[in-house]
Amino acid sequence: MSAVSAKLPMWRYALDAGCLGLALFLGALGLADAYGTSAHYLLCCLGGIIAGLSLAWAHVYFRLQAWKTMALFAGLYLLLGTPLATPREALYGVLPTFESLRVLLSGVVFSWKDMLTVAPPVGAYGGVLIVAFLATALTGLLAGLTAWRLRAPYWTLLPLLAMFVVGIAFGTRDVPLPMLRGGAFMAVLVGWLAWRRHIGSIVADGFRSLNHTEADVRSVRDGLVRRVALGAVVLLGASGITAAAADLITPPIPRQVLRDAVEPPVDLYTYPSPLTNFRKYTKTMAERTLLTVTGLPEGERVRLAALDSYNGMVFNVDPKSGGNFAPVGDSADIRTSGSQAQRAGGELGIRIGDYAGVWLPGGGRLTGVGVDEEGREQLARSLFYSDEAETALSSIGLQNGDSYTARVQFPVRAADAELENADFAQLRMPELANVPPVAAAKSVEYVGSARTALERARSLETALKTGGFFSSGAEGQVPSLSGHGAGRITGLLDAEDPIGDDEQYAVAMALMAREQGMPARVVMGFYPEKYDPAAAVELKGSDAHAWVEIAFESIGWVTFDPTPDDDEQPTPPEQEPRAVPQPQVLQPPPPEQQDAELPPETAPEPQEVQEEEPGFWETWGALVIGVAIGFGSLLLLASPFLLILGLKARRRRRRASAGSPGARISGGWQEVLSQGTDYGIIARGGATRREHAGALAAGFPTLGTLPLDLAARADKATFSTGPLDPDEAAGYWRDVDGQAAKMGAAASFWRRQRARFSPRSLLHEWLAALSARGAQAAPGRLGGPLGGPLGAKLPWRRPGGGARTLGKVNAMETKE
């Protein structure tokens, strides 16, 4: 397995690349049925193969390092992946966009799952093409590297077979052209391996030169032709025999692929709302037993589904929440999230009668489902459960005779005393669409002056329960339209005498509650008129009901029943007696009837509400707060720099106004040294002022002799025996400022800013102060890089005078 170091002729690369590319493409065709043989899929596979083999050739030919090859692969993936793997997300199908790059990056991890959970043909949306592109590009790169970097060609079979396995694993049960693909794949591999073995036998010294005579070459070529012809005949014969015996050797059980083992997320769009069958149960199937339940406690209900989405036509489980319906692995042990309130548990034995549908009858939060021996085993494997909605469904549906045991936690039955101080729970509910406008108007009217959460909810419930009449349109009842679309709810709420059943009243209350900001949903289920926990209860179609649940903080979902009692039915209008004909007698004319005086209106005239002009804070408050937060954040970020500027300004003022003119001149020289320190010019320790000035002049040639002049004037002021003129100190500071301006003009903008905000000179002064305190604690001990403690207050002798203290000395300052 030694590496091949020499470069091959270009025709050799082209021949190898052609054979490897064909083998990879035959393996990629295994995904054809999953992608639907679309043009995007074919281009994606071809582009990935060409990109992988091209990068492998570049790595070998130009002798690229491994990290460079990896970087180029990542770049090619993002560059070519946009038009090939994410054409729907790309601009004009070619140019990268933020969405296409996001899909490419996330698709490295998630596209494999999406490939298996999307029903074929998977199409080109959502990055599912990344599987084909990344697989072909990666196997192409590895195939090229093993073919051109390793002397033994057999290692190249690994990436080629890997691509073939990917095509099988991520494909479908319907194998596209199995015999043709398999035969062609084996023919390409055998032919290429024979070719490589032949080349290896005649090439000396690692593919470098051909050292054979013309006769030897001719004989070898003739032998190669004979072997290839014989191999082709053997392959064709084996392929024919295999094709003829395919029906005999193919197992009766269809092959299994990965998508058979991966359960796709449930598609709620395919399941109708159970509320659409409400009138069918209560009217057509009123006397038919839908299911039989044992163990149902007094007052509890059997739930079908909690419905939280409305589109103007039907209340349904939010179709976008399909991801919340997780497939149940072990149906006997369903893990649920912890409840905020204590919930009573129990076991319900349920046997399905005439009920048919996908929604699984239960009693609340499911903790386990045990299928009875006579029940179908497939039922347990087809369950999906949403803990948020406390709703379960079976993807294969329920049918007559199915039986199971449901372990449940029943919903909270909280008294009003417990709900008095509770607020509504802060939940994210799906947006409602096409809600009739009357729902919002009536909700405001019904809620009125209610303040607490419970009062507002009870106001809606009471208004509907006491202000309407019940009728399901059954025989002997007044006519009542079915359905709960926007038109039906508008007719219910606009009517002087509302008439409807559970379906309309529950939906009306839920819509009004949602308009008021309450987290409300409609629940459909069954409960009997009379309970018998010790016996089996037959639930008939007439026992179908719908109610409203509203979520309260720290308590959970609480039940509300807005439907009027079934005995609250409107009285049919009395029929007028039939008129009996009388003999024709001339009747006197009727007396004149005076117009009846109507009683004055008792309600006050509506008054126009005068809208108050918004104040300053109502109009500009948000803007002011935003600006203040932004300015405060900037100020916080800039505070270190402002602190440095403030300390330097304070230091300069102290030096410029310190004591006598000589002290001010000495302070001016220290300012010069601080400027040089901030610009990064630091002289050696123990240097004199003149040496410091030379270092400063070397760092800034534009200063000329100005640093030397300032150093000489500082020396003169330090060692002078006579008094100094204050104007001389002022002139010295003007020259210091002039030198600082010249240094700034000679430096670049960024170097000037670095010096301005550099804390180096401040740190040197701080270290000098520490050294001075250390020197005072240990007198006579000298140290530090400048021949003495940094910043130590040392006594200086001037001729003919006493001792004089200079104060703190900068890092560039020294003691003469």
Side-chain angles (χ1 to χ4, degrees):
M1 204 178 74
S2 60
V4 178
S5 58
K7 294 181 180 178
L8 304 178
M10 294 302 297
W11 66 269
R12 284 281 309 280
Y13 288 114
L15 184 60
D16 288 341
C19 294
L20 298 179
L22 180 57
L24 290 170
F25 185 72
L26 290 172
L29 284 179
L31 301 171
D33 190 69
Y35 284 103
T37 62
S38 65
H40 287 301
Y41 151 72
L42 296 176
L43 288 176
C44 181
C45 293
L46 291 174
I49 293 171
I50 294 173
L53 292 174
S54 300
L55 183 56
W57 172 82
H59 172 85
V60 174
Y61 194 82
F62 296 104
R63 303 180 185 275
L64 300 178
Q65 296 178 351
W67 69 270
K68 292 183 179 179
T69 303
M70 295 173 62
L72 288 174
F73 182 83
L76 285 175
Y77 172 74
L78 295 177
L79 182 63
L80 299 179
T82 296
L84 296 178
T86 58
R88 303 294 188 184
E89 290 80 8
L91 184 63
Y92 306 118
V94 177
L95 300 179
T97 62
F98 176 80
E99 181 63 16
S100 68
L101 296 178
R102 185 194 66 79
V103 172
L104 282 172
L105 294 175
S106 63
V108 175
V109 178
F110 298 108
S111 61
W112 310 91
K113 177 179 179 294
D114 297 337
M115 179 71 180
L116 298 175
T117 55
V118 177
V122 297
Y125 285 99
V128 289
L129 284 172
I130 293 177
V131 174
F133 178 71
L134 190 58
T136 53
L138 189 57
T139 53
L141 174 63
L142 296 176
L145 291 177
T146 53
W148 297 323
R149 290 280 296 175
L150 304 180
R151 182 165 301 177
Y154 304 103
W155 294 100
T156 309
L157 297 180
L158 294 179
L160 299 180
L161 292 174
M163 185 66 244
F164 208 86
V165 171
V166 169
I168 295 174
F170 287 87
T172 63
R173 292 183 177 182
D174 299 325
V175 186
L177 305 174
M179 298 305 303
L180 179 60
R181 286 176 52 243
F185 184 77
M186 294 303 299
V188 171
L189 289 186
V190 172
W192 181 73
L193 289 174
W195 160 254
R196 286 295 299 264
R197 185 174 182 277
H198 166 71
I199 290 297
S201 64
I202 64 174
V203 174
D205 194 18
F207 305 155
R208 292 185 181 179
S209 61
L210 295 175
N211 298 321
H212 296 274
T213 62
E214 183 178 356
D216 292 336
V217 173
R218 187 181 302 110
S219 64
V220 171
R221 184 170 59 244
D222 294 340
L224 175 64
V225 172
R226 286 194 299 270
R227 287 194 297 270
V228 170
L230 181 61
V233 171
V234 172
L235 285 175
L236 289 176
S239 300
I241 295 174
T242 304
D247 294 335
L248 299 177
I249 62 178
T250 301
I253 301 176
R255 72 170 185 170
Q256 297 294 312
V257 293
L258 283 180
R259 66 176 59 250
D260 295 329
V262 177
E263 191 72 28
V266 62
D267 184 9
L268 295 178
Y269 285 99
T270 61
Y271 303 121
S273 169
L275 202 56
T276 57
N277 293 325
F278 186 85
R279 187 61 65 91
K280 172 186 174 182
Y281 294 145
T282 58
K283 189 174 181 179
T284 307
M285 306 175 67
E287 298 303 322
R288 295 170 62 177
T289 301
L290 300 182
L291 58 150
T292 303
V293 183
T294 58
L296 185 64
E298 182 78 22
E300 300 296 349
R301 306 178 181 191
V302 176
R303 302 160 60 93
L304 277 184
L307 316 173
D308 55 3
S309 175
Y310 185 73
N311 60 5
M313 295 294 295
V314 64
F315 234 111
N316 203 352
V317 178
D318 183 16
K320 296 180 181 179
S321 67
N324 296 332
F325 279 80
V328 176
D330 183 7
S331 62
D333 183 16
I334 300 177
R335 303 292 177 88
T336 60
S337 61
S339 177
Q340 292 180 326
Q342 187 66 28
R343 304 178 66 159
E347 283 193 4
L348 300 180
I350 299 177
R351 186 175 186 86
I352 303 299
D354 290 336
Y355 168 77
V358 298
W359 306 102
L360 188 78
R365 177 173 293 164
L366 279 178
T367 59
V369 176
V371 178
D372 296 340
E373 292 182 0
E374 63 270 17
R376 290 182 299 162
E377 184 182 355
Q378 297 88 345
L379 179 63
R381 297 201 300 263
S382 66
L383 294 181
F384 290 81
Y385 181 67
S386 171
D387 190 38
E388 295 179 4
E390 299 182 4
T391 301
L393 64 86
S394 168
S395 57
I396 61 175
L398 298 166
Q399 62 185 26
N400 198 320
D402 287 341
S403 60
Y404 56 91
T405 301
R407 293 199 311 274
V408 299
Q409 293 177 352
F410 295 106
V412 178
R413 300 173 64 181
D416 285 1
E418 301 177 51
L419 300 172
E420 269 186 25
N421 299 321
D423 201 355
F424 295 122
Q426 300 299 317
L427 301 179
R428 185 176 181 180
M429 304 292 291
E431 293 185 6
L432 305 181
N434 304 319
V435 178
V438 68
K442 287 293 184 179
S443 67
V444 174
E445 177 184 339
Y446 292 161
V447 169
S449 60
R451 290 293 177 262
T452 67
L454 177 62
E455 289 176 353
R456 295 170 61 195
R458 289 294 185 207
S459 297
L460 296 178
E461 179 190 39
T462 303
L464 292 174
K465 194 176 187 68
T466 60
F469 297 96
F470 179 88
S471 174
S472 59
E475 185 178 355
Q477 297 179 351
V478 298
S480 173
L481 296 176
S482 62
H484 55 277
R488 179 66 178 93
I489 300 303
T490 300
L492 177 76
L493 296 178
D494 263 347
E496 182 177 354
D497 294 322
I499 299 176
D501 56 13
D502 297 45
E503 178 184 4
Q504 291 83 42
Y505 283 105
V507 170
M509 178 178 173
L511 292 179
M512 290 191 293
R514 293 284 286 275
E515 290 295 319
Q516 288 288 315
M518 307 179 195
R521 63 188 184 187
V522 175
V523 181
M524 181 180 170
F526 305 91
Y527 57 86
E529 291 185 5
K530 296 181 180 180
Y531 287 84
D532 188 358
V537 178
E538 292 186 352
L539 296 176
K540 300 181 179 181
S542 58
D543 295 321
H545 293 279
W547 58 91
V548 176
E549 287 185 345
I550 299 178
F552 285 81
E553 194 70 38
S554 303
I555 295 177
W557 295 94
V558 178
T559 300
F560 292 84
D561 291 300
T563 306
D565 296 334
D566 53 6
D567 55 358
E568 290 289 337
Q569 298 183 13
T571 304
E574 296 182 358
Q575 297 183 357
E576 296 182 359
R578 180 177 299 179
V580 178
Q582 299 290 334
Q584 296 183 0
V585 178
L586 183 62
Q587 300 291 335
E592 292 186 6
Q593 296 184 1
Q594 298 179 354
D595 294 337
E597 295 184 2
L598 298 177
E601 295 289 341
T602 57
E605 292 290 336
Q607 299 179 358
E608 296 184 0
V609 179
Q610 296 181 355
E611 297 184 358
E612 297 182 359
E613 289 290 335
F616 174 80
W617 281 109
E618 286 78 2
T619 305
W620 303 101
L623 179 61
V624 171
I625 293 174
V627 171
I629 293 176
F631 182 75
S633 301
L634 293 176
L635 188 62
L636 182 63
L637 293 174
S639 57
F641 304 100
L642 297 178
L643 178 62
I644 292 173
L645 291 180
L647 291 176
K648 287 185 177 182
R650 176 176 173 273
R651 180 184 64 187
R652 186 188 184 284
R653 287 194 303 271
R654 188 181 67 248
R655 289 171 173 174
S657 59
S660 63
R664 292 199 293 272
I665 292 176
S666 178
W669 177 250
Q670 292 184 19
E671 187 70 17
V672 170
L673 297 182
S674 296
Q675 295 169 2
T677 302
D678 289 335
Y679 274 102
I681 301 174
I682 303 178
R684 60 181 177 84
T688 63
R689 286 195 181 101
R690 194 172 294 273
E691 290 171 340
H692 284 152
L696 195 58
F700 289 90
T702 57
L703 296 179
T705 60
L706 182 57
L708 295 173
D709 178 61
L710 291 175
R713 291 161 63 184
D715 285 340
K716 178 181 177 182
T718 301
F719 298 103
S720 174
T721 57
L724 297 176
D725 188 358
D727 293 338
E728 186 176 353
Y732 189 89
W733 270 98
R734 283 194 298 271
D735 292 341
V736 170
D737 293 339
Q739 176 178 280
K742 289 182 179 181
M743 292 169 66
S748 64
F749 172 79
W750 293 112
R751 187 184 181 192
R752 189 163 59 248
Q753 300 309 315
R754 285 197 301 269
R756 178 176 299 172
F757 297 104
S758 172
R760 185 182 291 124
S761 61
L762 296 172
L763 291 176
H764 284 179
E765 286 191 358
W766 179 67
L767 293 175
L770 292 180
S771 299
R773 283 195 287 269
Q776 292 175 357
R781 193 178 157 191
L782 298 178
L786 301 182
L790 289 176
K793 296 183 178 180
L794 300 180
W796 294 76
R797 293 284 180 181
R798 48 177 167 170
R804 177 174 174 272
T805 301
L806 289 179
K808 297 179 182 178
V809 184
N810 190 275
M812 293 183 61
E813 185 65 279
T814 186
K815 287 68 183 179
E816 303 292 344

